[in-house]
Amino acid sequence: WSMNRDLLESWIQGETGFPLVDANMRELSRTGFMSNRGRQNVASFLIRELRIDWRLGAEWFESLLLDSDPCSNYGNWQYIAGVGDDPRGGRRFNVVKQGQSYDPNGDYPRHWLPELENVPQRFIYDPYRAPRAELERAGVVLGTHYPLPVVNSFGAAGDDDNKGVRRKNESNNGARGGHGRKARSIAKQNQDSFPDPFARPR
């Protein structure tokens, strides 16, 4: 698993630079709700793209979901992670294509990410691919109004090509660290139930 706390916090805060993920995570933080499709997409993103321990995602969900049920919650996270009773891997959601397929107009991300309200429809799920001029007309500067992607498209979080992208987001993540502190607290409170994957050996 990845040991990058900044990546975990960017996911929790809805600051990954991938609008479908960010919209769902912000909805969860503000309402305690997330659709089933949203849960699958953000879980896949945390596990497959950020390579972070699925148990931290499951605990974060459990701390916020109004309809949280331990069996359903942990079972669904195990399913996406490919562990437990159904250890088949490869359950990986393309969070750009998912948004384009199920909400092609981008109404959902525009609602939860008002900073992207004027981004053209064809770039609403991957604004990092939009020409700078298009973003400027929409009043968006990536890295200022909306974060740069924490991973390059769907490349590995640990690739050298991604390090510069992550560094540009670190200051934003640190400034919005309220949820991140809560995530660290959850991990610490539960360290007796399983080893904290971010803990350094003593």
Side-chain angles (χ1 to χ4, degrees), residues 11-140:
W11 179 82
I12 285 171
Q13 296 167 18
E15 297 282 349
T16 68
F18 292 87
L20 183 62
V21 175
D22 294 343
N24 274 284
M25 295 305 293
R26 293 190 198 183
E27 180 185 19
L28 174 63
S29 294
R30 295 173 189 175
T31 70
F33 175 79
M34 187 187 296
S35 69
N36 181 62
R37 183 163 299 278
R39 297 180 198 199
Q40 294 180 19
N41 274 276
V42 301
S44 171
F45 189 86
L46 183 75
I47 295 165
R48 303 299 177 194
E49 315 311 328
L50 304 186
R51 299 181 179 182
I52 289 174
D53 193 325
W54 66 270
R55 293 170 292 186
L56 294 180
E59 289 193 352
W60 184 247
F61 270 31
E62 187 174 38
S63 74
L64 291 180
L65 283 172
L66 297 177
D67 64 352
S68 180
D69 171 80
C71 295
S72 296
N73 183 43
Y74 284 87
N76 288 336
W77 275 92
Q78 285 182 327
Y79 177 81
I80 298 296
V83 299
D85 292 335
D86 187 10
R88 177 167 59 89
R91 296 186 176 102
R92 186 181 192 188
F93 286 70
N94 183 322
V95 297
V96 174
K97 289 183 178 179
Q98 286 277 309
Q100 293 170 341
S101 296
Y102 292 95
D103 179 25
N105 292 328
D107 294 334
Y108 179 73
R110 291 183 204 281
H111 176 79
W112 292 106
L113 310 172
E115 61 269 38
L116 299 183
E117 181 179 4
N118 297 317
V119 169
Q121 177 181 341
R122 65 185 180 279
F123 296 120
I124 190 61
Y125 290 104
D126 50 0
Y128 49 88
R129 296 185 186 278
R132 182 176 297 179
E134 293 259 19
L135 292 177
E136 288 178 350
R137 283 194 290 271
V140 176

Side-chain angles (χ1 to χ4, degrees), residues 157-172:
D159 285 354
D160 289 340
D161 289 344
N162 297 316
K163 290 180 180 177
V165 174
R166 288 202 304 275
R167 278 197 296 269
K168 290 178 182 178
N169 286 314
E170 282 178 0
S171 60
N172 288 337

Side-chain angles (χ1 to χ4, degrees), residues 183-198:
R184 290 193 293 271
S185 176
I186 290 171
K188 182 174 179 59
Q189 291 169 6
N190 290 277
Q191 62 186 359
D192 292 335
S193 60
F194 64 85
D196 181 355
F198 300 120

